Amino acid sequence: MEIKYAMSSPAVSVPSDATVQEAARRMAGAGVGALPVVQNDRVIGVVTDRDLVVRALASGLSPQVKVEDVMSADPVTVEADAFVTAALHAMRSINSRHLPVVDRGRLTGMVSFDDLFSYLSLQFEALAEVVNAARGTPGTSATH
């Protein structure tokens, strides 16, 4: 199961010279909690709603401060053709709920823990349907 089937695409992103106010508005409009920060189609950072609150608002920074001043730089990304488990391991290793998805270095989507949970839930539901159908077919038996 590859990430490209679970990710949100196209990714909502902001340029590195956007203001934190612009980033907050973009997050609110898209209903997301994190945005990849891009420069020349490359992901150079991630800014989260927590970054906006803790690094900008709580610190008394102006809403006109640039996103690059509060973002997490050099973010961990995952390739679009990577397996879902790779994204889960990456999220766990950096204690994050969001990962930019790239295709040869270019932003192609964003995957969140919620995206992965929903996707895997649907896969398990489909598997359960197969198992239940097999149990109801004459001549088949379930093994435990």
Side-chain angles (χ1 to χ4, degrees):
M1 294 180 264
E2 297 174 345
I3 290 298
K4 62 185 167 190
Y5 300 114
M7 71 182 185
S8 298
S9 180
V12 179
S13 64
V14 291
S16 57
D17 62 350
T19 66
V20 295
Q21 185 174 41
E22 291 168 335
R25 286 184 177 151
R26 191 162 295 184
M27 280 183 201
V32 297
L35 298 172
V37 180
V38 295
Q39 188 174 54
N40 300 322
D41 293 328
R42 302 287 180 181
V43 180
I44 63 164
V46 172
V47 64
T48 65
D49 47 8
R50 180 172 168 72
D51 292 332
L52 298 180
V53 170
V54 174
R55 293 182 182 172
L57 187 61
S59 298
L61 298 179
S62 163
Q64 300 310 307
V65 164
K66 301 298 181 199
V67 167
E68 63 192 356
D69 295 329
V70 298
M71 71 181 188
S72 296
D74 301 319
V76 171
T77 62
V78 63
E79 287 287 331
D81 61 356
F83 290 112
V84 167
T85 52
L88 290 170
H89 290 297
M91 285 178 179
R92 187 171 42 211
S93 72
I94 62 171
N95 195 28
S96 177
R97 295 179 54 88
H98 308 89
L99 286 177
V101 180
V102 297
D103 184 10
R104 291 179 224 130
R106 298 203 181 276
L107 180 65
T108 186
M110 191 76 163
V111 68
S112 70
F113 177 81
D114 293 345
D115 293 332
L116 295 177
F117 186 81
S118 294
Y119 178 75
L120 291 172
S121 293
L122 291 172
Q123 298 305 309
F124 283 123
E125 185 178 307
L127 181 60
E129 288 175 10
V130 170
V131 170
N132 289 334
R135 286 184 178 160
T137 304
T140 61
S141 63
T143 57
H144 297 283

